[in-house]
Amino acid sequence: QAGSAYKPFVLAAALRNGTSLNSQFDGDSPQEFPGLESPVQNAGEQSYGEVDLIQSTADSINTPYVELMVQTGVENVDELAVDMGVNPARTETSVQGPLVALGTHQVNTLDMASAYATFAAQGQQKPAHMVTEVRDRNGDVVEPNDADEIESGSEVLDSDVTADATHAMTQVVENGG
């Protein structure tokens, strides 16, 4: 399961739909949400009060992210994650609902690396590839037959959205998180 590593897809989808990093959410724990049988807890059952999306990301607070998922829609988040590089089949590995914000889908390392690379490329998604060069036994470079595919890409996110999402993600490590 992706766990909190899926939260940036929720964040990016919300930012793309006009939500601000300064938007305020209830960071208290536990909280009940529509469609969920059990209340959502933050790690250590900690309550944070009102928090913006920067703090919610930096401290990986569950309750604001579940609320953000309710507002944004799991379909929109999963669609964006797929556009960013997650294999579409992975979005069917858990129950569709608000808890997807907490990373209930079973994804693999290639999915996450490909999708996160889209953040690093200012919103440009390129097909995942693992090999950058092949040489034959004489040391000559063998030209790939899929170079056009590897170099192609599409804009998935506006550069402003990726800048905001990346800023929020960097706050995780800024204060030793």
Side-chain angles (χ1 to χ4, degrees):
Q1 293 182 324
S4 290
Y6 212 78
K7 288 177 181 174
F9 304 134
V10 181
L11 177 63
L15 292 171
R16 185 167 69 171
N17 290 336
T19 301
S20 165
L21 285 177
N22 296 320
S23 298
Q24 296 291 305
F25 292 86
D26 182 357
D28 288 341
S29 179
Q31 284 186 48
E32 294 185 11
F33 292 94
L36 297 180
E37 293 179 19
S38 300
V40 173
Q41 302 274 354
N42 293 327
E45 298 181 29
Q46 186 170 353
S47 288
Y48 294 84
E50 289 292 309
V51 292
D52 61 21
L53 289 175
I54 295 172
Q55 183 181 354
S56 298
T57 305
D59 294 331
S60 194
I61 308 171
N62 292 339
T63 53
Y65 266 95
V66 173
E67 176 62 30
L68 192 59
M69 178 64 91
V70 169
Q71 291 178 12
T72 305
V74 69
E75 302 84 15
N76 294 324
V77 172
D78 278 346
E79 180 181 312
L80 177 59
V82 168
D83 288 348
M84 290 180 71
V86 172
N87 183 316
R90 308 283 192 248
T91 64
E92 300 171 9
T93 60
S94 68
V95 175
Q96 294 294 305
L99 292 181
V100 169
L102 306 183
T104 57
H105 291 331
Q106 296 177 20
V107 295
N108 64 31
T109 305
L110 182 59
D111 292 326
M112 297 304 285
S114 178
Y116 270 64
T118 303
F119 285 119
Q122 291 84 41
Q124 291 288 318
Q125 199 285 324
K126 295 189 179 200
H129 58 282
M130 300 291 281
V131 178
T132 58
E133 183 178 87
V134 174
R135 293 183 179 267
D136 65 17
R137 64 182 166 174
N138 298 321
D140 298 323
V141 174
V142 176
E143 293 298 323
N145 59 7
D146 62 352
D148 292 341
E149 179 183 332
I150 290 172
E151 293 302 319
S152 70
S154 59
E155 184 174 308
V156 175
L157 288 171
D158 178 281
S159 61
D160 290 339
V161 169
T162 58
D164 282 351
T166 300
H167 171 72
M169 287 187 284
T170 61
Q171 299 313 296
V172 174
V173 295
E174 285 292 317
N175 296 315

